[in-house]
Amino acid sequence: MTSTSSQGLPSAVDAGGAPAGDSKLHRSINWTGAFWCASGVPALVLFSVGGIAGNTGRLAFLIWIISMVMGFLQSFTYAEIAGLFPNKSGGASVYGAAAWVRYSKLIAPLSVWCNWIAWTPVLSLGCSIAAAYILNAFAPQPAAGSAAVVDWLATHGASLQMSNADKTAAAIAALSPSIRTWTLFSTTLGPVSLSLNAAFFIGAALMLVVFAIQHRGILGTANVQKYIALLVIIPMFIVGVVPLLTNGVNWANFSPLVPPAAPNTPAPGAWNTAGWTLALGGMFIAAWSTYAFETAICYTSEFRDPAKDTFKAIFYSGLLCLVLFTLVPFTFQSMLGVEGMLDPAIGDGSGVAAALAHMVGGGQIVESALVMLMILALILSIMTAMAGSSRTLYQGSVDGWLPRYLRHVNEHGAPTRAMWTDLGFNLVILAIACADATGFFFILAVSNCGYIIFNFLNLNSAWIHRIDSAKVERPYRAPTILLALGVVFSFINVIFMGAGAKIWNPVALWAGLITAAMIIPVFCFRHYIQDGGKFPAHMFEDLHVGTESAMTQRKAGMWPYVVLVAGAVVLLAANALFTL
């Protein structure tokens, strides 16, 4: 018989749904703690602001605004399904999986897995950019127009049989500190390269620092992130506002409102098939950042009062992102123009601090301060990613989707084995991201394929929950019109993926689908080998059905399967229709 705690939550299972007596997450934060844990999301704009500008030209600011509005409206759906599971951690993917498991054992873990492969690369990608900043601070390479480069070209340029641009590149390479080209090991693996270079080792050290902070549990993590967030968010807001107040808006940088003629060129194009493909590619990659504040509901089982805290956490995190994801890209474009945003240093993130300093009219001191701001912003996003993605692994293990070893937590309530798994996986990804910019955006595109799949499944899980769990109390009930809009957005997101993934890498879509399918052997090992084909007993309580036999009652009928088939058709049609 299940007893009830003073908070009205079952005590026969722990906060993550594991049997009583096992190690468990601690209910130690309220919505503000989750808000601070999610405060690293606005920094994700720095990952792809240059890449999106390169592929969408003058549309870039509009891409960010539309994407952020879509993400904000979708969040109301996630707030409702999160309220159904006050004992679960791991975020919307876990809550959505509980809807799909009645209809397919394989679709449900796909939701959890795709959310994890979407979030976990933030660690490696963020560390690669932060490492580039640190490397630039201690071993800078000369600028193309510097006196050293000019002197080198005067001495050696005449003997080189190559274009002027290649001569300049050769001069920069010759004058750069050797540590920038040093590597312990490098190789090529399929479409990507790997390198254990200086940036890799700096990035790995940053990951270990984040791990050490989060080892103390969610309360300690939230307290640390609060102060880092204040150091990051306030300057980001200032950088977004001050240039507009002092210089006004340069409307010429926003017109004509058409896609570029080709990727990474400032020349305006037209609203033809190629133009729409580039615009959809921008919407595809922007979603990886703008939707990400849903991580605020990763901590439901760690809220002191989940009924009240869940909605507040995602709503106020969404408002913060709505402001910064709109303001920062708009100001960037107003000040730099498309030509300025096509600078390779903006594309790979390493030159964003210098651009920010130029925008606010600062000198070297201001630029140095902004470099520190950038590093802190990236560390903040890394902390957000590790906190959220490790809890997705943890809850996936507790619920029977992922291997059992991931369910362990330490004495502080931190899921340390999941964190170590995150760390090990991201060291491999870091080696790819540090090799070259091509590898960086390949990882980003593959990761986002997983994110779009997760969003598709979870936006549709809400109406399945409404049908199958109609009588279950909902602390927050989203307006039906927003749930319906979420279903529409789920298919629009699939169009973004089908049309846009190939913009970032020709094989990104197929690599993303293959990566998503990797959950099948992982789940089969856990479910059929470790658990003998049975789900953990608490799973049925989570589904509000009580017994395994009751789980076979599928009130939604064939409609979930119709949605899956329709999603696949839309994906393939978009991929075939939209081409450059």
Side-chain angles (χ1 to χ4, degrees), residues 210-235:
V210 171
F211 183 97
I213 293 171
Q214 300 208 352
H215 190 271
R216 300 167 54 214
I218 192 64
L219 181 60
T221 299
N223 288 334
V224 172
Q225 288 202 213
K226 175 171 65 176
Y227 296 108
I228 297 178
L230 291 173
L231 290 173
V232 170
I233 293 171
I234 293 174

Side-chain angles (χ1 to χ4, degrees), residues 224-565:
V224 172
Q225 288 202 213
K226 175 171 65 176
Y227 296 108
I228 297 178
L230 291 173
L231 290 173
V232 170
I233 293 171
I234 293 174
M236 281 185 72
F237 183 77
I238 292 172
V239 167
V241 171
V242 169
L244 298 180
L245 295 177
T246 57
N247 299 294
V249 178
N250 187 354
W251 294 110
N253 290 335
F254 300 92
S255 179
L257 203 58
V258 294
N264 297 307
T265 58
W271 285 109
N272 50 22
T273 300
W276 275 106
T277 303
L278 289 172
L280 294 173
M283 291 297 298
F284 166 73
I285 216 70
W288 186 79
S289 302
T290 55
Y291 300 175
F293 68 92
E294 47 82 16
T295 191
I297 56 172
C298 268
Y299 316 99
T300 305
S301 67
E302 294 166 277
F303 286 149
R304 298 190 188 103
D305 188 351
K308 295 181 179 179
D309 290 331
T310 301
F311 176 76
K312 290 181 179 179
I314 194 169
F315 179 76
Y316 288 110
S317 296
L319 285 181
L320 172 67
C321 290
L322 189 62
V323 172
L324 291 179
F325 275 116
T326 299
L327 188 60
V328 173
F330 182 85
T331 306
F332 250 66
Q333 190 165 330
S334 177
M335 293 297 297
L336 301 181
V338 175
E339 293 81 359
M341 296 183 73
L342 291 179
D343 187 329
I346 300 295
D348 65 21
S350 63
V352 173
L356 293 175
H358 170 73
M359 285 163 54
V360 297
Q364 187 60 45
I365 295 177
V366 173
E367 182 175 339
S368 298
L370 288 170
V371 167
M372 286 302 301
L373 163 67
M374 287 292 297
I375 294 173
L376 285 173
L378 292 165
I379 290 176
L380 188 63
S381 66
I382 294 163
M383 292 179 69
T384 294
M386 180 173 280
S389 60
S390 62
R391 279 156 180 80
T392 299
L393 290 179
Y394 163 81
Q395 192 66 49
S397 176
V398 168
D399 285 349
W401 312 121
L402 302 176
R404 286 180 181 173
Y405 83 94
L406 293 167
R407 69 187 295 164
H408 171 78
V409 299
N410 67 6
E411 67 276 11
H412 302 294
T416 46
R417 289 181 184 171
M419 290 163 60
W420 278 116
T421 301
D422 256 352
L423 188 69
F425 177 81
N426 274 279
L427 286 175
V428 177
I429 302 301
L430 181 64
I432 298 173
C434 289
D436 54 53
T438 302
F440 180 97
F441 280 106
F442 174 76
I443 295 167
L444 192 59
V446 171
S447 168
N448 199 45
C449 286
Y451 199 47
I452 296 298
I453 294 171
F454 146 72
N455 274 282
F456 178 82
L457 294 174
N458 280 266
L459 289 171
N460 284 286
S461 74
W463 62 264
I464 298 176
H465 276 305
R466 282 270 182 107
I467 296 172
D468 284 332
S469 304
K471 296 181 180 180
V472 177
E473 181 183 354
R474 286 161 168 77
Y476 169 76
R477 188 179 183 90
T480 302
I481 184 63
L482 290 183
L483 248 61
L485 194 60
V487 175
V488 174
F489 285 167
S490 74
F491 284 93
I492 293 175
N493 286 328
V494 170
I495 294 174
F496 296 160
M497 181 169 77
K502 58 191 171 188
I503 299 302
W504 305 93
N505 189 285
V507 299
L509 175 62
W510 312 114
L513 295 177
I514 292 170
T515 303
M518 290 171 62
I519 185 55
I520 295 176
V522 174
F523 170 71
C524 288
F525 168 76
R526 169 63 195 269
H527 187 65
Y528 295 105
I529 296 177
Q530 287 193 319
D531 292 347
K534 300 280 188 180
F535 283 111
H538 71 269
M539 169 65 76
F540 310 113
E541 296 181 14
D542 292 339
L543 289 172
H544 313 290
V545 295
T547 63
E548 185 170 5
S549 60
M551 193 176 75
T552 60
Q553 297 176 7
R554 299 165 182 166
K555 298 178 184 177
M558 293 297 295
W559 286 110
Y561 304 108
V562 171
V563 165
L564 292 175
V565 173

